[in-house]
Amino acid sequence: MSVAASEVKTLRERTGAGMMECKKALEQAGGDVEKAIEILRVKGQAKAAKRGEREAGEGAIAHYVHTNGRVGALVEVDCETDFVARNDDFLEFARDVAIHVVGLGPKYASHEEVPEDVKQAELELFQQQADDSKSPEIQQKIAQGRLGKWLAEIVLLDQVHVNTDKYDGRTIEELRAEISARTGENVVIRRFARFQVGE
């Protein structure tokens, strides 16, 4: 199937992907722009996973203070080069992470940061709350499911961005993978701190 240059240009503007990648995605999707975007997102996340092993020694510290002046956040987002660290797209992502931290107050950046003893304590609590009428295997599955939901509430990368209008229900990890795909670099949310008056 041949794709019009204008369609390729539109897709490139919406995704930031390369012209040839956009053309191939449109051809693969049979001209369906939304399907092509999904194809590019999947490919971008796969490439981002490969980049995850590269050193991210540059970056930026972003901040956000809510309009009431009573709550704010600092976030360190790292990348591989100072060129990307100064890129407007990268800086906007970092600031949007800071806005999210202010809004939802995650406790940890990733699953790896959650201490094992904390996870175990929560799992035991969920196991105690399990319905005795169910078999032990079912009780264990229910407890594991509740643990997964609990982690999604406290881990930054698992949370859906607080600005659902702008980010259409995507998680911070999905947004991180997208910026990594667009910049071609490993992007890492290294750490964050949330401050609230009186807390």
Side-chain angles (χ1 to χ4, degrees):
M1 174 187 177
S2 65
V3 183
S6 59
E7 291 176 311
V8 174
K9 185 174 183 274
T10 302
L11 183 60
R12 178 176 163 72
E13 286 167 0
R14 283 187 64 184
T15 63
M19 292 295 270
M20 287 309 294
E21 284 179 299
C22 289
K23 185 177 182 216
K24 285 177 186 171
L26 277 166
E27 287 170 352
Q28 193 178 337
D32 184 329
V33 174
E34 295 306 316
K35 204 182 262 187
I37 289 171
E38 190 56 34
I39 289 167
L40 288 170
R41 279 179 66 187
V42 170
K43 284 182 179 174
Q45 288 172 357
K47 284 181 184 174
K50 287 179 188 170
R51 283 191 285 276
E53 296 161 15
R54 297 200 316 231
E55 182 63 32
E58 295 292 331
I61 295 189
H63 68 281
Y64 174 74
V65 177
H66 193 58
T67 51
N68 63 11
R70 299 182 57 81
V71 61
L74 287 173
V75 176
E76 179 185 348
V77 182
D78 293 345
C79 56
E80 295 173 43
T81 64
D82 64 337
F83 174 76
V84 167
R86 293 188 311 253
N87 175 291
D88 288 342
D89 205 16
F90 177 84
L91 293 170
E92 182 185 0
F93 167 73
R95 185 170 188 275
D96 283 350
V97 173
I99 289 169
H100 176 85
V101 169
V102 166
L104 286 190
K107 304 287 183 227
Y108 305 96
S110 66
H111 281 254
E112 293 75 33
E113 288 184 14
V114 183
E116 265 321 304
D117 59 326
V118 172
K119 282 189 213 173
Q120 195 55 43
E122 286 297 317
L123 183 60
E124 286 170 13
L125 178 69
F126 295 135
Q127 287 167 337
Q128 290 167 10
Q129 294 171 347
D131 185 351
D132 287 343
S133 66
K134 307 256 189 246
S135 72
E137 295 83 23
I138 299 294
Q139 288 180 19
Q140 184 63 22
K141 280 186 181 175
I142 291 170
Q144 286 289 347
R146 288 183 179 168
L147 180 68
K149 283 183 184 171
W150 174 77
L151 285 168
E153 289 172 9
I154 65 163
V155 173
L156 174 67
L157 291 175
D158 287 358
Q159 294 178 336
V160 171
H161 195 283
V162 71
N163 188 342
T164 50
D165 290 341
K166 181 175 180 180
Y167 289 116
D168 196 29
R170 295 194 305 268
T171 65
I172 300 298
E173 171 54 26
E174 288 173 320
L175 298 175
R176 187 208 62 76
E178 286 173 19
I179 190 76
S180 181
R182 284 199 301 275
T183 61
E185 292 195 4
N186 183 19
V187 174
V188 178
I189 300 170
R190 187 73 64 201
R191 56 189 164 165
F192 63 88
R194 186 178 186 273
F195 305 91
Q196 187 160 348
V197 172
E199 197 176 82

